[in-house]
Amino acid sequence: MSASRAVELLAYLVLHAGSLLPRQHLAGVFWPDSSGSQSLTNLRRELHQLKGLLAGAGCLVAEDGALGWRDSPGCLADVREFAVARDLAEDAQRAGDMQRFLVHAQQGITLYRGELMPGHYADWVLESRDSLRNDFVRFCDGSAAAWLAGGELDRAAAVARRRIHAEPLEEAGYRQLIRVQAAQGDRAAAMHTYHECSAVLEQQLGVGPDAVTVKLAQDLLGTRRPGGPVQASSPASGAASGLRTAAARALSARSVAGPGTRSTLVGREQEMALLEARWQAAAAGPPGMVVVVGEPGVGKSRLVEELAATVRSSGHLVATARCFGAPGRVPWAPVTAWLRSRALRSWLAALPPHWQAEAARLVPDLLSGAAAAEAAAGDEVGRVDRAMVDSWQRNRFFEGLAQAVGGTGRPVLLILEDLQWCDAETAAWLAFLLMAARSGPLLLVATMRGHDSATGESVRALLHGMRSSGLLTELALDPLAAVDVGRLAEQLSRRTVTDDEAAWLLAATGGYPLFIIEAARVLPDGSSGSLESVLSRRLAQCSEPAREAAGLAAAYGRDVSLDLLREACDLDAATLVDAVDELWRQRILRPAGAGYDFSHDLLRSAAYHQVEPARRWLLHRRLAQGLELLYAGRPDDAAAQLAEQYLLGSRPDRALEFFQRAALAAAAVFANAEALKFFARCLELIGDLPAGSGRDRWELAIRRQMSPPQTALYGYSSTLLLETVQRTAELAVRVQQPKTETAALIAMFACRFVQGATAESYRIGQRALELAAVESDPDLLGQAHFAVAGPALSLGRPLEAIEHFRRCYEANAGGYSFILGTKLEVHARGWASHAHWLTGDDDGAVSLSAEALTRAHGSGHPYSLAVALSYAAMLHQLRGEKARVADCAAELERVCSRYDFAYYRQWGYILTGWLDGIGGLDRIREGIKNLQRLDAFARMPYWLSLQADVLAAGGDRAAARSALDAALAAAEQRDDRWWLPEVLRQRSLLEPAEAANGTLDRARQLAEAQSSPALMRRIMQQRA
C-alpha cells in the first residue's frame, strides 16, 4: 500500500469494517502528538482525499461524527474477502463439512499474498498483521491435513510450503511437509526439508530442531544423530609429538557440534562492532557497503553469518547469495537468489505491477501470471536482435530490481559471498542500487578474497565507485591470534587449553579458523599437514557413497539439487539420500535453496580433487545428461551449466549449442557482457571445427548474434563491433547470404560513420543499397537508403541526402531498425531536417524536426526520443534559436541521464555549453573530449566550431583560431565537409583583411559546390 496517510486511514477502516469509529478516536490514532483541534483538521484533510479516491464506490460510511467501512460491489478489499473466506471456512469446519472447508480455505490461501502493509509498523498494523498471518497458518494446517488424509499429496505439499514461508521458524510446518513428502515416497525431499529446518533454526535462533522433529526424521528417514570424528592412530614420538597430541586432545575431547547448533564467534569482537555500527548507520540513513577481505578459511563467512543472525533477531530483513568461480556462471544469479529468499519473496507480491514485470524477468515463477507474461513478451524483448532497440530498458530493469530489493520500507541486509566472482551485470546493478537508486535503508556486506586474480574489471569498478562516493568500508580480516586460537579450541573441546597447546595449534594452522575447526573433524592424532590435506582426510572418513556424491556435487561447481544428483549418479535413491544426509551431518554440505552446496569452497575443491582425473569427464557428462532431463522443455534455464558440463565431459559439439543458448538467454535480460563471453566460447569451439561451409555457417550465426549486444555495450564506435560486422559480411559472401551481407554492411556504415570515416561509410552504404535493391527487401532497403543519406550529407551533398532520407522514412513507416537501434521514421526525419536547412528549405527543416519529435514522444522509445531531441537542438542552434536549443537540450539531458545514453548526452553538453558562452567553455571541452574518448569523430568540425565561437566571443582569438584549425584539419582528414564553409567563414573573421578575403572566397565556392544556400547566406552577409 501507499505510504500516504489517506491510504493508511482507508486500511484502518477496512480492518475495522462493521464498526463506526468516532472521529476523535481516528484523529488520536493517526495524530497522537497533535492537539485535538489540529488532529481533527488533519483528519478532515485526509478524509477529503479519501472521498476523492472512493468517489461513487459506496463503501465509506459517515454518520453522527463517526466513520466506517461498508463492503460494496463498487470497491473490493482483499482483507475483507479474506475475512469472509475465513468465516465460511470456520463454519464449515465446525459443521464437519471438510469439502466446503477446503473450498473456502483455498480461497483464503490464494488471497493471502504476504504480510499486511509491508513497511508499516504502527501498533494497529502489527496486531492486524499477526492476526491475519495466524488465520492463514490455520488455513494451511487444516488444508494440508485434509489433503493428506484424502490422498491429494501434491496439494498438501504446496500448502505446507506456503505455511513454511509464512512462519519459517515454526517447526510444525516443516513436520507437516516431511509427512507429506514421506507419503509421496520422496525420501530425498523429506530429508532436504529436515535439513532446511535445521539450517534455518541454527542461522536465526542458534538452536537445533526440537525432539519431536528429530524423532519424526529418525522414524521416517532412518536418520541418526551426528557422531564425533572417527579416531585413528598415527605414530608420534618426542616432545613435539607430545605437544601435537595435547593439541589434538584439545580439539577432540568431545564430538564436534552437529548441525543445529551455532558456536560462539571467537576473536572477532572489534570486527563485529564495526559491522554492527555500519548496519546501524545504513538502517538509519543512506545505504552503504562493507567488503570483508581475507584469505580462504580466515573466517569471512562466519563473521557475516554472525551479523546476519544479529540483524534477523531484531526483526529486520536479511537476504544471502553467493557467487561461484566455476565456469558457466549464470548472469544475475546473486540477485535471483536474493529475490527468492524468504526475506524478500513476500514483498514481490506487493510491488506495483510495472515493477513486478521487471522482477519477473528473473523469477517469473514467483509472480503473477500477468507480470510473468509481460516480462516474457515485453514487446519481444527476449529477442537478441532487439538488444540495441531495447537497450534503454536496461535502466528500467535496474529500477525494478532496486524496488524489489531496496523498496520494502524496512532496513535490509544483503550478504554476497565471494564478490570476486561476481558477474558484470550484478556488479553494475549493485553500483546503481547503492549510488543512483532511491532505495530504502540498506547495507550490502560482501566477502572477497584478497589479491584474487579472478577479480573482474566490473567488480573493481564497483569498489572504486563506492570508495569514491564514501559509501564503502573495507574490513581486512587477519588470522586469529594465539589467545583466540586457544579460545576456539576450548569451545570445540569444552575444556581448558594450555598456552603450549594454543601455540602449537597456531603454528600448525596459521590461526585460520577453518583449519582449526576442520582439524577437529579429522583424525586428531597430533599429525600436522596443510589445510588441503586436512580437508582431504576429512572427506576420506566418509563412506564410499558419500564420497561419490561429494565428488559429483563438486564437479557441478555450484549448489546442486538432489534431483540432479539422482539423475547423474550410479547410487540408488535410498543410498544417495543416506550419502547426502551423511555429508550434511559432517557439515560438508549445507542446504542452499532447493538443493545443497559445500559449506566452504575449499571443501568443494578438495572433493573434486579426490576424483580420479580419468573419471572426471564421466561425471561432467552425466551431469550434463541429467540437466537435460531435468530441464527438458526449458533448456535455456540451465544453458550455461549444460555448456560447461558438456565441454568438460568431452562433448564440444553439445557445448557449442548450449553456449549459444546461454548467450541468447543472457542478452534477453540485458546481461550483454556475459552474453559476449558465451559467444566468445562459441567462437573458440568453432575454431576447432574442420574448415568448410559448416564451420562458416556456424561462425556466421554467432557473429550475427554477437553484434547487437556489442552495440548495446560498446556503441557503434567500437573497434570490436567493427571487426565483428566486417567478419559477418565476409562470411555472408562466402556462404552466399546476400541479405545477411546487406545487414552487416549497414552496421559497418554506422561504425565507420561514427568513427569519422565519412567517405568509406558512404561507399559501404552504396554497396548495401545495391544489394538491398536486388533482394527487394523493403526493411533493408529503407535502412540502406539511410546508410547512404547520412554520409552524403556529411560529404556536402545535402540534395542527395534529402532524397535518400525521404525514401528511408517512407519505406520504414513505424518500424524499428534492429541494426541501428532507433525508429528510422524518427531518426531519418530528424537528420534530414539539417539537410533541408542547408538547402535553404527552412520551413521544411522545421516541419521535419517537429514531426520527428512528435513521433518520438508518441513511440514510447526513449532512445529514439534522445535522437530526435539531439537533432532538434542542433537544428535550433543552426537557426540561432537559443531558447529552443535550451528547451531541447534540457529534455535531452533528462532522457540521457535516466537511460545512460552516453553518445547523445555529449551533444547536449556541447550545445548547453555554447548557450552559456564563456561560462560553458569547460562543458564544451568536456563533451568534445568525451566524444573523442568514445572514438566518435563524426561532426567534429561542427563541435569544434562551436568551441571557437565561444572563444572568439570571449576575446581569446588565438585559442579560437586553434580550434578552427583543428576543425579544418578534421574536415579534410575525415571528409566531414558539410560544415566546412562555415568553419572557413569563422576563420576569416580572425585573419588579416587580405587573408580573410581569400578564406571567405574559398568558403563561398564550397557553399556553392555543396548547394548550401543557408551557409552561402552567412558568407554573403559577412561580405556585405
Side-chain angles (χ1 to χ4, degrees), residues 313-471:
S313 68
S314 301
H316 299 303
L317 301 178
V318 180
T320 301
R322 72 180 305 183
C323 307
F324 293 96
R329 65 187 179 192
V330 180
W332 298 111
V335 184
T336 302
W338 284 329
L339 294 178
R340 291 189 180 282
S341 68
R342 284 196 177 94
L344 298 177
R345 197 159 43 185
S346 296
W347 166 244
L348 295 182
L351 281 172
H354 60 285
W355 294 136
Q356 279 194 9
E358 299 305 323
R361 296 181 193 274
L362 298 185
V363 287
D365 54 307
L366 295 187
L367 291 162
S368 68
E374 183 179 343
D379 193 23
E380 298 179 295
V381 75
R383 287 179 49 187
V384 72
D385 298 12
R386 299 185 58 100
M388 188 59 187
V389 170
D390 293 323
S391 62
W392 65 270
Q393 292 197 32
R394 178 176 182 265
N395 188 276
R396 180 183 173 89
F397 179 51
F398 274 28
E399 290 178 351
L401 295 182
Q403 286 295 315
V405 171
T408 66
R410 297 172 59 182
V412 177
L413 173 63
L414 297 178
I415 291 176
L416 183 58
E417 296 267 21
D418 291 318
L419 175 66
Q420 73 276 357
W421 294 324
C422 185
D423 63 282
E425 281 67 31
T426 297
W429 176 77
L430 287 173
F432 174 86
L433 174 70
L434 296 167
M435 292 189 287
R438 294 180 293 275
S439 56
L442 181 148
L443 180 67
L444 169 65
V445 177
T447 65
M448 182 175 172
R449 293 184 180 183
H451 311 295
D452 195 298
S453 60
T455 303
E457 181 60 36
S458 57
V459 173
R460 288 193 286 269
L462 166 66
L463 296 177
H464 175 74
M466 294 299 297
R467 209 175 280 125
S468 300
S469 66
L471 297 177

